[in-house]
Amino acid sequence: MTVHPASDRSLLFSFGDEISMDAHAAVVRLTRCLQDVRGGILNLHPAYTSVQVDFDPRMRSHAEVEALVRERIASHTDAPQPEPRRIEIPVRYGGEDGPDLGNVARHAGLTEKRVVELHAAVEYVVYFVGFATCFPYLGGLPPELATPRLAAPRKQVPEGSVAIGGEQAGIYPLASPGGWRLIGRTHLKLFDPSASPPPLLRMGDRVRFVPVPEAPL
């Protein structure tokens, strides 16, 4: 673990510079062991291989926050991690719901049917949730399906759009601008303010996409 000041009120704790399950496990552990800390810890921002910890500089210094984090990690080293939740996401692929499916197929040199088969054949890991409200960044995309993002982002991507951005997969939880390749759409709500908690997906969850010819949208 390396530690660097990110600002006068934040520290960045990093676990290497390569996306991996080992780095993800370290991010999950650090995030969970700090979730119940109060007294000057304001926010946690987990990413693929790092966690940014925001704090109140009137209550803690950089050195004090680093010492706290190292102490908490050491005390949680042997703590069992909860079994990850496994969630199925029904998807209607192609057509108006997945306007970029053909582009992904041509880039990969595959048929659209084969792209769908590959996309739905693997289990994805929710590395972290960010960007827009509850946007899940998913690891595990088959390398054959990696496709560059659009040269010019769309001004509006429909809610529930299932997308590919480079080597990553994701789902747009709300209608928003976006430059990822849209290959399908789900009717599930990824963000429900009336639910507790509001996000459908959380860091560490496992996700499988299930092709559904006529999913209600």
Short mmCIF file of all heavy atoms in Angstrom, two decimals, residues 99-135:
data_model
loop_
_atom_site.label_atom_id
_atom_site.label_comp_id
_atom_site.label_asym_id
_atom_site.label_seq_id
_atom_site.Cartn_x
_atom_site.Cartn_y
_atom_site.Cartn_z
N PRO A 99 -28.02 0.13 -29.73
CA PRO A 99 -27.67 0.61 -31.07
C PRO A 99 -26.23 0.39 -31.49
O PRO A 99 -25.91 0.48 -32.68
CB PRO A 99 -27.98 2.12 -30.98
CG PRO A 99 -27.90 2.45 -29.53
CD PRO A 99 -28.39 1.23 -28.82
N ASP A 100 -25.34 0.08 -30.55
CA ASP A 100 -23.93 -0.13 -30.90
C ASP A 100 -23.54 -1.60 -30.97
O ASP A 100 -22.36 -1.91 -31.14
CB ASP A 100 -23.03 0.58 -29.88
CG ASP A 100 -23.23 2.09 -29.87
OD1 ASP A 100 -23.44 2.66 -30.95
OD2 ASP A 100 -23.20 2.68 -28.77
N LEU A 101 -24.51 -2.49 -30.83
CA LEU A 101 -24.18 -3.92 -30.85
C LEU A 101 -23.50 -4.30 -32.16
O LEU A 101 -22.52 -5.05 -32.16
CB LEU A 101 -25.45 -4.75 -30.65
CG LEU A 101 -25.26 -6.27 -30.66
CD1 LEU A 101 -24.32 -6.72 -29.55
CD2 LEU A 101 -26.62 -6.98 -30.52
N GLY A 102 -23.99 -3.78 -33.27
CA GLY A 102 -23.39 -4.08 -34.57
C GLY A 102 -21.96 -3.58 -34.66
O GLY A 102 -21.08 -4.26 -35.21
N ASN A 103 -21.70 -2.39 -34.12
CA ASN A 103 -20.33 -1.84 -34.15
C ASN A 103 -19.38 -2.69 -33.32
O ASN A 103 -18.23 -2.92 -33.72
CB ASN A 103 -20.34 -0.40 -33.61
CG ASN A 103 -21.04 0.56 -34.56
OD1 ASN A 103 -21.07 0.33 -35.76
ND2 ASN A 103 -21.60 1.62 -34.03
N VAL A 104 -19.84 -3.15 -32.16
CA VAL A 104 -19.01 -4.00 -31.31
C VAL A 104 -18.72 -5.31 -32.05
O VAL A 104 -17.58 -5.80 -32.03
CB VAL A 104 -19.70 -4.28 -29.96
CG1 VAL A 104 -18.94 -5.33 -29.17
CG2 VAL A 104 -19.83 -2.99 -29.16
N ALA A 105 -19.74 -5.87 -32.70
CA ALA A 105 -19.55 -7.12 -33.44
C ALA A 105 -18.54 -6.96 -34.57
O ALA A 105 -17.64 -7.80 -34.75
CB ALA A 105 -20.89 -7.61 -33.99
N ARG A 106 -18.65 -5.87 -35.33
CA ARG A 106 -17.71 -5.65 -36.43
C ARG A 106 -16.29 -5.43 -35.91
O ARG A 106 -15.33 -5.94 -36.49
CB ARG A 106 -18.16 -4.44 -37.26
CG ARG A 106 -19.35 -4.73 -38.17
CD ARG A 106 -19.62 -3.60 -39.12
NE ARG A 106 -20.16 -2.42 -38.42
CZ ARG A 106 -21.45 -2.25 -38.14
NH1 ARG A 106 -22.33 -3.18 -38.47
NH2 ARG A 106 -21.86 -1.16 -37.53
N HIS A 107 -16.15 -4.70 -34.80
CA HIS A 107 -14.82 -4.46 -34.24
C HIS A 107 -14.19 -5.76 -33.78
O HIS A 107 -12.97 -5.97 -33.91
CB HIS A 107 -14.93 -3.48 -33.06
CG HIS A 107 -13.61 -3.11 -32.46
ND1 HIS A 107 -13.03 -3.80 -31.41
CD2 HIS A 107 -12.72 -2.12 -32.77
CE1 HIS A 107 -11.88 -3.26 -31.10
NE2 HIS A 107 -11.66 -2.24 -31.90
N ALA A 108 -15.00 -6.67 -33.23
CA ALA A 108 -14.50 -7.95 -32.73
C ALA A 108 -14.39 -9.00 -33.81
O ALA A 108 -13.80 -10.07 -33.57
CB ALA A 108 -15.41 -8.45 -31.60
N GLY A 109 -14.97 -8.75 -34.98
CA GLY A 109 -14.98 -9.76 -36.04
C GLY A 109 -15.90 -10.92 -35.72
O GLY A 109 -15.62 -12.07 -36.09
N LEU A 110 -17.01 -10.62 -35.03
CA LEU A 110 -17.95 -11.65 -34.60
C LEU A 110 -19.35 -11.30 -35.08
O LEU A 110 -19.62 -10.18 -35.51
CB LEU A 110 -17.96 -11.75 -33.06
CG LEU A 110 -16.63 -12.05 -32.37
CD1 LEU A 110 -16.77 -11.85 -30.87
CD2 LEU A 110 -16.18 -13.48 -32.68
N THR A 111 -20.24 -12.26 -34.98
CA THR A 111 -21.65 -11.98 -35.24
C THR A 111 -22.25 -11.32 -33.99
O THR A 111 -21.73 -11.45 -32.88
CB THR A 111 -22.44 -13.26 -35.54
OG1 THR A 111 -22.43 -14.11 -34.37
CG2 THR A 111 -21.83 -14.01 -36.72
N GLU A 112 -23.37 -10.62 -34.18
CA GLU A 112 -24.04 -10.02 -33.04
C GLU A 112 -24.49 -11.09 -32.04
O GLU A 112 -24.41 -10.89 -30.82
CB GLU A 112 -25.23 -9.19 -33.51
CG GLU A 112 -24.84 -7.96 -34.31
CD GLU A 112 -26.02 -7.10 -34.68
OE1 GLU A 112 -27.13 -7.31 -34.11
OE2 GLU A 112 -25.87 -6.19 -35.52
N LYS A 113 -24.94 -12.21 -32.55
CA LYS A 113 -25.36 -13.30 -31.68
C LYS A 113 -24.21 -13.77 -30.80
O LYS A 113 -24.38 -14.01 -29.59
CB LYS A 113 -25.89 -14.47 -32.52
CG LYS A 113 -26.33 -15.66 -31.68
CD LYS A 113 -26.82 -16.81 -32.56
CE LYS A 113 -27.22 -18.02 -31.71
NZ LYS A 113 -27.66 -19.16 -32.56
N ARG A 114 -23.01 -13.87 -31.39
CA ARG A 114 -21.85 -14.34 -30.62
C ARG A 114 -21.44 -13.30 -29.58
O ARG A 114 -21.03 -13.67 -28.47
CB ARG A 114 -20.69 -14.63 -31.56
CG ARG A 114 -19.46 -15.23 -30.87
CD ARG A 114 -19.81 -16.49 -30.10
NE ARG A 114 -18.63 -17.05 -29.44
CZ ARG A 114 -18.72 -17.88 -28.40
NH1 ARG A 114 -19.89 -18.23 -27.90
NH2 ARG A 114 -17.61 -18.36 -27.85
N VAL A 115 -21.55 -12.02 -29.90
CA VAL A 115 -21.25 -10.97 -28.92
C VAL A 115 -22.16 -11.12 -27.71
O VAL A 115 -21.71 -11.05 -26.56
CB VAL A 115 -21.40 -9.57 -29.55
CG1 VAL A 115 -21.35 -8.49 -28.46
CG2 VAL A 115 -20.31 -9.32 -30.58
N VAL A 116 -23.45 -11.33 -27.96
CA VAL A 116 -24.41 -11.49 -26.86
C VAL A 116 -24.05 -12.72 -26.02
O VAL A 116 -24.06 -12.69 -24.78
CB VAL A 116 -25.84 -11.59 -27.40
CG1 VAL A 116 -26.82 -11.96 -26.28
CG2 VAL A 116 -26.25 -10.27 -28.05
N GLU A 117 -23.72 -13.82 -26.71
CA GLU A 117 -23.36 -15.04 -26.00
C GLU A 117 -22.16 -14.83 -25.09
O GLU A 117 -22.16 -15.25 -23.92
CB GLU A 117 -23.07 -16.16 -27.00
CG GLU A 117 -24.31 -16.67 -27.74
CD GLU A 117 -23.96 -17.66 -28.84
OE1 GLU A 117 -22.75 -17.77 -29.20
OE2 GLU A 117 -24.88 -18.33 -29.35
N LEU A 118 -21.13 -14.18 -25.62
CA LEU A 118 -19.93 -13.94 -24.82
C LEU A 118 -20.21 -12.99 -23.66
O LEU A 118 -19.75 -13.22 -22.54
CB LEU A 118 -18.82 -13.37 -25.71
CG LEU A 118 -18.17 -14.33 -26.71
CD1 LEU A 118 -17.24 -13.58 -27.65
CD2 LEU A 118 -17.41 -15.42 -25.97
N HIS A 119 -20.96 -11.94 -23.94
CA HIS A 119 -21.25 -10.94 -22.91
C HIS A 119 -22.03 -11.54 -21.75
O HIS A 119 -21.83 -11.17 -20.59
CB HIS A 119 -22.03 -9.77 -23.52
CG HIS A 119 -22.21 -8.60 -22.61
ND1 HIS A 119 -23.37 -8.39 -21.90
CD2 HIS A 119 -21.37 -7.58 -22.28
CE1 HIS A 119 -23.24 -7.29 -21.18
NE2 HIS A 119 -22.04 -6.77 -21.39
N ALA A 120 -22.92 -12.48 -22.07
CA ALA A 120 -23.79 -13.08 -21.05
C ALA A 120 -23.20 -14.36 -20.43
O ALA A 120 -23.82 -14.94 -19.55
CB ALA A 120 -25.16 -13.38 -21.64
N ALA A 121 -22.02 -14.76 -20.89
CA ALA A 121 -21.47 -16.05 -20.45
C ALA A 121 -20.60 -15.95 -19.21
O ALA A 121 -20.24 -16.98 -18.63
CB ALA A 121 -20.66 -16.69 -21.58
N VAL A 122 -20.24 -14.74 -18.80
CA VAL A 122 -19.27 -14.59 -17.70
C VAL A 122 -19.91 -13.91 -16.50
O VAL A 122 -20.98 -13.29 -16.60
CB VAL A 122 -18.05 -13.76 -18.17
CG1 VAL A 122 -17.32 -14.48 -19.30
CG2 VAL A 122 -18.46 -12.37 -18.60
N GLU A 123 -19.23 -14.04 -15.36
CA GLU A 123 -19.65 -13.35 -14.14
C GLU A 123 -18.78 -12.11 -13.97
O GLU A 123 -17.56 -12.19 -14.02
CB GLU A 123 -19.52 -14.27 -12.94
CG GLU A 123 -20.03 -13.67 -11.64
CD GLU A 123 -19.97 -14.65 -10.49
OE1 GLU A 123 -18.86 -14.93 -10.00
OE2 GLU A 123 -21.04 -15.15 -10.09
N TYR A 124 -19.42 -10.98 -13.77
CA TYR A 124 -18.71 -9.71 -13.62
C TYR A 124 -18.59 -9.36 -12.14
O TYR A 124 -19.40 -9.76 -11.31
CB TYR A 124 -19.46 -8.59 -14.35
CG TYR A 124 -19.55 -8.79 -15.84
CD1 TYR A 124 -20.54 -9.61 -16.40
CD2 TYR A 124 -18.67 -8.15 -16.71
CE1 TYR A 124 -20.63 -9.80 -17.76
CE2 TYR A 124 -18.75 -8.34 -18.08
CZ TYR A 124 -19.73 -9.17 -18.61
OH TYR A 124 -19.81 -9.35 -19.96
N VAL A 125 -17.56 -8.57 -11.84
CA VAL A 125 -17.34 -8.06 -10.48
C VAL A 125 -17.60 -6.56 -10.47
O VAL A 125 -17.10 -5.83 -11.34
CB VAL A 125 -15.90 -8.33 -10.01
CG1 VAL A 125 -15.68 -7.74 -8.62
CG2 VAL A 125 -15.59 -9.81 -10.03
N VAL A 126 -18.39 -6.10 -9.50
CA VAL A 126 -18.58 -4.66 -9.34
C VAL A 126 -17.35 -4.13 -8.61
O VAL A 126 -17.22 -4.27 -7.38
CB VAL A 126 -19.86 -4.34 -8.55
CG1 VAL A 126 -20.02 -2.83 -8.40
CG2 VAL A 126 -21.08 -4.94 -9.23
N TYR A 127 -16.42 -3.54 -9.37
CA TYR A 127 -15.20 -3.04 -8.75
C TYR A 127 -15.48 -1.83 -7.87
O TYR A 127 -14.97 -1.71 -6.77
CB TYR A 127 -14.18 -2.68 -9.83
CG TYR A 127 -13.31 -3.85 -10.22
CD1 TYR A 127 -13.59 -4.60 -11.37
CD2 TYR A 127 -12.22 -4.22 -9.46
CE1 TYR A 127 -12.80 -5.68 -11.73
CE2 TYR A 127 -11.41 -5.29 -9.82
CZ TYR A 127 -11.72 -6.02 -10.95
OH TYR A 127 -10.93 -7.09 -11.31
N PHE A 128 -16.29 -0.92 -8.38
CA PHE A 128 -16.71 0.22 -7.56
C PHE A 128 -17.89 0.88 -8.25
O PHE A 128 -18.27 0.53 -9.38
CB PHE A 128 -15.56 1.22 -7.34
CG PHE A 128 -15.10 1.95 -8.58
CD1 PHE A 128 -15.48 3.27 -8.81
CD2 PHE A 128 -14.26 1.34 -9.49
CE1 PHE A 128 -15.04 3.95 -9.94
CE2 PHE A 128 -13.81 2.01 -10.63
CZ PHE A 128 -14.20 3.32 -10.84
N VAL A 129 -18.51 1.80 -7.55
CA VAL A 129 -19.68 2.51 -8.05
C VAL A 129 -19.35 4.00 -8.06
O VAL A 129 -18.92 4.55 -7.05
CB VAL A 129 -20.93 2.25 -7.18
CG1 VAL A 129 -22.12 3.04 -7.68
CG2 VAL A 129 -21.25 0.76 -7.18
N GLY A 130 -19.52 4.64 -9.20
CA GLY A 130 -19.13 6.05 -9.28
C GLY A 130 -19.68 6.71 -10.52
O GLY A 130 -20.71 6.29 -11.06
N PHE A 131 -18.96 7.73 -11.01
CA PHE A 131 -19.31 8.49 -12.21
C PHE A 131 -20.63 9.21 -12.01
O PHE A 131 -20.68 10.31 -11.49
CB PHE A 131 -19.32 7.58 -13.44
CG PHE A 131 -19.88 8.22 -14.68
CD1 PHE A 131 -19.45 9.45 -15.11
CD2 PHE A 131 -20.86 7.58 -15.41
CE1 PHE A 131 -19.96 10.04 -16.25
CE2 PHE A 131 -21.39 8.15 -16.56
CZ PHE A 131 -20.93 9.39 -16.97
N ALA A 132 -21.73 8.62 -12.39
CA ALA A 132 -23.05 9.16 -12.09
C ALA A 132 -23.59 8.37 -10.90
O ALA A 132 -22.97 7.42 -10.42
CB ALA A 132 -23.98 9.02 -13.30
N THR A 133 -24.76 8.76 -10.42
CA THR A 133 -25.34 8.09 -9.25
C THR A 133 -25.45 6.60 -9.49
O THR A 133 -26.20 6.14 -10.35
CB THR A 133 -26.72 8.67 -8.94
OG1 THR A 133 -26.60 10.08 -8.77
CG2 THR A 133 -27.29 8.06 -7.67
N CYS A 134 -24.67 5.82 -8.74
CA CYS A 134 -24.73 4.36 -8.74
C CYS A 134 -24.30 3.71 -10.06
O CYS A 134 -24.71 2.59 -10.36
CB CYS A 134 -26.13 3.88 -8.36
SG CYS A 134 -26.69 4.48 -6.78
N PHE A 135 -23.46 4.36 -10.85
CA PHE A 135 -22.94 3.75 -12.07
C PHE A 135 -21.93 2.67 -11.68
O PHE A 135 -20.89 2.98 -11.09
CB PHE A 135 -22.26 4.79 -12.97
CG PHE A 135 -21.82 4.27 -14.30
CD1 PHE A 135 -22.58 4.50 -15.43
CD2 PHE A 135 -20.65 3.53 -14.43
CE1 PHE A 135 -22.17 4.03 -16.67
CE2 PHE A 135 -20.24 3.05 -15.66
CZ PHE A 135 -21.00 3.30 -16.78
#
